Amino acid sequence: MKNLPDLFASMVFGDRAMKEKMPQDVYKALKRTVARGEALDPDLANAVANAMKDWAVERGATHFTHWFQPLTGVTAEKHDSFISPDGEGGAMMKFSGKALIKGEPDASSLPSGGLRATFEARGYTAWDPTSYAFIKNNTLCIPTAFCSFSGDALDKKTPLLRSMEALETQALRILRLFGNTTVRRVLSSVGAEQEYFLIDKSVYDRRPDLIFCNRTLFGARSPKSQEMENHYFGTIKPRVQEFMSELDEELWKLGVFAKTEHNETAPAQHELAPVFTTANLATDHNQLTMEMMKRIASKHGLVCLLHEKPFEGVNGSGKHNNWSLTTDTGINLLEPGDTPSQNAQFLLFLSAVIKAVNEHQDLLRISVADAANDHRLGADEAPPAIISMFLGEELTDILDAIEQERLYEERERSSMEIGATVLPKFPRDATDRNRTSPFAFTGNKFEFRMVGSSQSVASPNIVLNTIVADTLMQFADTLEASLETSCNFGETLNCLIRDTLRENRRIIFNGNNYSDEWKEEAGRRGLLNLKTTPDALEYFTSEKNIRLFSRQHVFTESEIRSRCEIILDNYRMTLETEAHTMISMVRRDITPALFTYENELAELIDRKTRLTVPADAERKVLERLALLGSALIERTDDLESALSEIADCRSAFDAACRCRDELTGRMNALRETVDALEASVASKYWPYPSYGEILYSVN
């Protein structure tokens, strides 16, 4: 491997490459244009495009693409070569400013949720200069936004950028009220921890459910799973280490700060965590990370599973979204400081987050809603579907004091005594961590732990940015009005923080979110418990949410309704695909395997009977298999019958609800029967690799 500093971002057209390839006046003009959010002058665009092309060709690139993030959950790209006629029968490499700034991919087959008719194919991609171009597979990839001919956002990047702008606008208003005139930018910062499974490709290829659905639809529990918890942070196996090393190197080339890697709780489960960056870059980088994980795993004879719940009975995979607010002067606005009780600015921003999360629980749940994540949420390995906030003892005590209008008695910071004289003392943190909380304060950021491992982090960050921006706007309006009326600013500020805490207290919970007692308590507090995607999506198009997104210029009403339609359609299609796959596996493989084994047992019983040898044990096994076989056929037919009725639904919401109500219970019942059969049929007859074979396939 090359020297790491030289390797890092070597495939990114970032500042280092720009300074090298662009004349100084062009570089400065581009940076100035981006900072001001202005449109690129055509001459400047041509100069930038030419420099970008020269840099890319030197590194082996032959094509370019506008790399965008449609509403499919993955990225999209259409490749064009740099080659152009030279006018003399030969070829030359050419890339214009027009091609850099704007593309026109055929958008007819990408999801629009009713924003366009199928025949309305025109879509536009527009260069996002805040996210650097990079080279992947000998192709210059230009991060772009994607919109329809009518200007509707058809991607995840456009509303994310809008939400970041809304948050910055309102945060700057607050900072100006505190007399801060030096800050020019406020950015939402994100670090997305990515969990995933690695299994051997040979076992993957023998599982139709993994191939078609990315999760196992059947599978009896392995004799050993994660009970001993010896996989968590355990020694990384050589084959996995080779994969991780190559993954790190490829991500570093692309400017992704891959930082931490380790074994997760379940067998074959792992995690990668990056360094924080802006929400826009973090989203782009996480999409690249997921793509690279799959590609590099294949090179090592492995398959990377990003599904939220690929295996029943072991931990699923999430993506912890660490979110904070930082300024261009290096200030973290969610940093409490040494005396958070005296830090009015911090307390105001904290109060804004508390109010935003309490008032918009539905939107946070919606931002992570899909069929796959429904399997994980509330499964004692991830937060429940109830939104709450963990603040820790010290912050909670401070807020209590403010709410009760009494002086706060500062806690004395102590050192940890760890009982070994050779080890140094170290300061005790102000608060412990709560791994069961959906939304936990962890020192200078909030960790939103409900995001699914396969999901884009764009959606939760769009929601977080927007709801906090809207709350800050309300705060700024109140505080500015107090100044205009010559009211005491400090008194108004104190009242605002105190009243906000009193009115939104119910969202704070520092206890065990997994407990049944909390679910009951949450109900008494009036918190939402939206267990499934249709439950959550019912709230998306409420008047409250339409007004919110419209007010902050993040989504139009039609864009909200389109996204709701797409999520519901995906939910339905996911469950239908799983149901069809189940039926196919049962009828083509499992039933024949069962009959073959039953036939062998019957022949054995017959031989023993003719020899007057007792065959009671064999008869008991055969009778049990026969009962399970009858249930297998009956439950498969029942599932198929329910599946055929979904097509009659008139709306996406009705179809999603019908799938939830009619398919999931039948699928669970069929799985129960098949898993019981797997535990009873001789392994040489069972057509699929077992959980034990899959989870321990990599050594």
Side-chain angles (χ1 to χ4, degrees):
M1 186 175 72
K2 297 179 183 176
N3 178 271
L4 182 51
D6 292 334
L7 178 75
F8 188 80
S10 58
M11 289 296 176
V12 179
F13 192 66
D15 279 348
R16 184 171 59 184
M18 289 181 190
K19 288 178 180 177
E20 178 185 333
K21 286 297 177 184
M22 292 181 187
Q24 189 175 21
D25 60 331
V26 173
Y27 171 76
K28 288 183 176 179
L30 175 63
K31 299 296 287 185
R32 185 168 56 250
T33 300
V34 171
R36 294 175 178 174
E38 299 171 348
L40 252 67
D41 174 84
D43 291 337
L44 177 59
N46 283 326
V48 173
N50 190 60
M52 193 181 290
K53 179 261 298 178
D54 289 346
W55 170 84
V57 169
E58 286 177 6
R59 284 156 180 76
T62 56
H63 290 69
F64 69 92
T65 183
H66 277 193
W67 184 78
F68 60 103
Q69 299 172 40
L71 300 174
T72 56
V74 294
T75 58
E77 49 196 66
K78 180 187 75 171
H79 296 188
D80 287 294
S81 71
F82 289 120
I83 195 168
S84 295
D86 66 358
E88 299 178 354
M92 61 185 294
M93 304 295 267
K94 186 177 179 181
F95 185 46
S96 68
K98 181 180 178 181
L100 166 65
I101 293 172
K102 178 182 171 184
E104 292 188 24
D106 184 339
S108 60
S109 296
L110 292 169
S112 73
L115 285 175
R116 299 171 295 112
T118 303
F119 66 85
E120 294 174 324
R122 191 182 296 277
Y124 296 111
T125 49
W127 178 36
D128 169 20
T130 65
S131 183
Y132 296 132
F134 55 90
I135 296 173
K136 175 171 65 78
N137 300 328
N138 295 326
T139 301
L140 174 66
C141 298
I142 303 159
T144 55
F146 177 49
C147 66
S148 70
F149 179 75
S150 57
D152 293 308
L154 298 176
D155 66 342
K156 295 180 180 291
K157 179 181 281 286
T158 302
L160 178 60
L161 292 172
R162 293 172 181 169
S163 73
M164 293 173 68
E165 184 174 335
L167 182 57
E168 179 176 67
T169 298
Q170 303 308 326
L172 285 173
R173 289 178 66 194
I174 296 293
L175 292 177
R176 297 294 181 261
L177 287 165
F178 280 92
N180 190 325
T181 59
T182 59
V183 172
R184 293 288 178 268
R185 303 294 310 276
V186 176
L187 298 167
S188 52
S189 297
V190 171
E193 304 170 28
Q194 179 70 55
E195 294 177 341
Y196 61 98
F197 281 83
L198 283 179
I199 64 172
D200 194 275
K201 192 173 187 304
S202 63
V203 294
Y204 171 87
D205 288 339
R206 293 163 54 202
R207 293 286 312 213
D209 45 4
L210 285 176
I211 293 171
F212 295 127
C213 307
N214 301 310
R215 78 177 183 104
T216 54
L217 302 174
F218 305 119
R221 289 180 67 93
S222 170
K224 181 180 182 297
S225 184
Q226 64 187 58
E227 292 81 5
M228 304 265 186
E229 298 179 339
N230 57 344
H231 188 262
Y232 190 49
F233 280 15
T235 303
I236 298 172
K237 295 177 180 178
R239 199 168 162 201
V240 175
Q241 185 64 68
E242 290 173 5
F243 158 83
M244 288 180 170
S245 296
E246 184 172 352
L247 176 63
D248 282 341
E249 186 169 337
E250 292 304 313
L251 289 177
W252 290 336
K253 289 178 185 176
L254 294 171
V256 179
F257 280 95
K259 179 74 172 176
T260 305
E261 56 198 24
H262 61 85
N263 291 345
E264 254 298 334
T265 306
Q269 190 184 32
H270 313 280
E271 181 179 300
L272 181 148
V275 175
F276 279 61
T277 185
T278 64
N280 185 31
L281 276 177
T283 300
D284 289 355
H285 286 176
N286 186 249
Q287 292 291 151
L288 281 171
T289 297
M290 291 190 287
E291 179 184 338
M292 287 298 168
M293 281 178 169
K294 292 180 178 179
R295 178 174 299 163
I296 293 169
S298 180
K299 292 173 63 176
H300 291 265
L302 304 169
V303 173
C304 176
L305 301 177
L306 294 173
H307 193 282
E308 283 69 18
K309 191 72 172 177
F311 305 105
E312 188 70 23
V314 301
N315 278 12
S317 295
K319 182 147 45 192
H320 298 172
N321 187 89
N322 296 281
W323 178 90
S324 189
L325 292 173
T326 56
T327 70
D328 58 345
T329 57
I331 299 170
N332 184 336
L333 297 176
L334 293 178
E335 175 63 62
D338 292 334
T339 54
S341 63
Q342 300 173 24
N343 188 338
Q345 180 177 288
F346 161 74
L347 290 171
L348 185 65
F349 277 100
L350 177 65
S351 299
V353 178
I354 292 171
K355 176 178 169 67
V357 172
N358 179 46
E359 292 184 349
H360 300 288
Q361 307 160 48
D362 55 343
L363 286 176
L364 283 170
R365 175 65 179 91
I366 289 164
S367 74
V368 297
D370 65 24
N373 212 21
D374 283 358
H375 291 290
R376 171 179 160 265
L377 296 179
D380 287 352
E381 71 213 36
I386 304 167
I387 302 289
S388 67
M389 294 179 70
F390 169 82
L391 297 180
E393 292 181 9
E394 182 174 16
L395 264 184
T396 302
D397 288 349
I398 291 170
L399 300 185
D400 286 344
I402 293 171
E403 188 179 340
Q404 296 163 18
E405 301 184 62
R406 60 175 170 80
L407 289 176
Y408 170 69
E409 297 180 7
E410 295 283 354
R411 289 174 176 239
E412 183 180 348
R413 292 293 174 88
S414 59
S415 295
M416 290 288 289
E417 296 281 357
I418 48 184
T421 56
V422 296
L423 296 176
K425 297 178 181 179
F426 56 90
R428 185 192 300 270
D429 288 326
T431 181
D432 199 351
R433 290 197 175 194
N434 188 326
R435 306 303 291 175
T436 71
S437 176
F439 199 81
F441 187 72
T442 56
N444 58 5
K445 58 183 172 60
F446 280 97
E447 183 180 44
F448 185 36
R449 300 183 62 246
M450 294 177 74
V451 187
S453 52
S454 68
Q455 295 175 332
S456 166
V457 295
S459 294
N461 287 301
I462 289 168
V463 168
L464 276 170
N465 292 343
T466 304
I467 63 178
V468 174
D470 200 66
T471 306
L472 290 175
M473 184 177 75
Q474 297 170 40
F475 285 3
D477 288 346
T478 299
L479 294 171
E480 287 170 356
S482 75
L483 291 176
E484 291 174 3
T485 57
S486 300
C487 292
N488 184 292
F489 178 79
E491 184 177 331
T492 303
L493 176 63
N494 289 338
C495 290
L496 178 60
I497 293 173
R498 185 186 66 238
D499 293 346
T500 299
L501 297 176
R502 285 175 176 172
E503 293 164 6
N504 298 277
R505 181 75 185 188
R506 64 174 183 169
I507 201 69
I508 300 171
F509 179 65
N510 292 333
N512 180 7
N513 287 255
Y514 291 166
S515 69
D516 292 334
E517 291 79 9
W518 164 237
K519 295 178 178 63
E520 296 172 4
E521 170 63 21
R524 287 191 290 271
R525 294 187 185 191
L527 300 180
L528 297 172
N529 187 1
L530 306 175
K531 296 181 180 179
T532 69
T533 294
D535 294 333
L537 267 292
E538 192 170 358
Y539 289 80
F540 199 5
T541 55
S542 70
E543 187 61 33
K544 170 186 79 83
N545 291 334
I546 290 172
R547 286 199 306 268
L548 165 74
F549 285 117
S550 299
R551 187 163 56 242
Q552 296 303 325
H553 307 290
V554 173
F555 287 129
T556 64
E557 180 175 349
S558 59
E559 288 171 343
I560 293 172
R561 295 190 183 280
S562 72
R563 278 155 178 77
C564 184
E565 191 89 1
I566 289 168
I567 297 170
L568 289 168
D569 279 342
N570 285 341
Y571 180 85
R572 172 186 59 81
M573 289 187 288
T574 297
L575 290 185
E576 287 182 341
T577 299
E578 291 180 350
H580 282 299
T581 303
M582 274 187 151
I583 293 167
S584 174
M585 291 174 72
V586 167
R587 290 190 171 154
R588 298 184 63 181
D589 296 325
I590 294 171
T591 302
L594 170 63
F595 289 170
T596 300
Y597 185 49
E598 285 181 321
N599 183 65
E600 180 175 303
L601 281 173
E603 290 179 350
L604 176 60
I605 292 168
D606 183 61
R607 287 197 302 273
K608 281 192 167 186
T609 301
R610 282 188 277 109
L611 294 171
T612 65
V613 176
D616 294 343
E618 290 82 352
R619 286 193 177 91
K620 284 185 178 179
V621 173
L622 185 57
E623 287 171 3
R624 182 167 67 248
L625 290 174
L627 288 173
L628 287 171
S630 296
L632 178 71
I633 301 303
E634 180 181 338
R635 289 178 173 180
T636 304
D637 290 344
D638 190 29
L639 177 60
E640 186 173 50
S641 176
L643 189 58
S644 66
E645 296 175 3
I646 305 297
D648 298 333
C649 294
R650 295 184 177 181
S651 72
F653 184 74
D654 288 345
C657 289
R658 182 75 69 85
C659 286
R660 176 197 62 197
D661 298 337
E662 303 297 332
L663 293 187
T664 54
R666 289 174 170 84
M667 291 165 68
N668 290 338
L670 180 55
R671 175 172 192 145
E672 182 182 348
T673 301
V674 172
D675 290 356
L677 278 169
E678 181 182 351
S680 302
V681 172
S683 59
K684 71 174 183 178
Y685 294 105
W686 198 251
Y688 307 123
S690 68
Y691 267 21
E693 293 174 86
I694 298 171
L695 292 171
Y696 295 95
S697 62
V698 181
N699 49 33

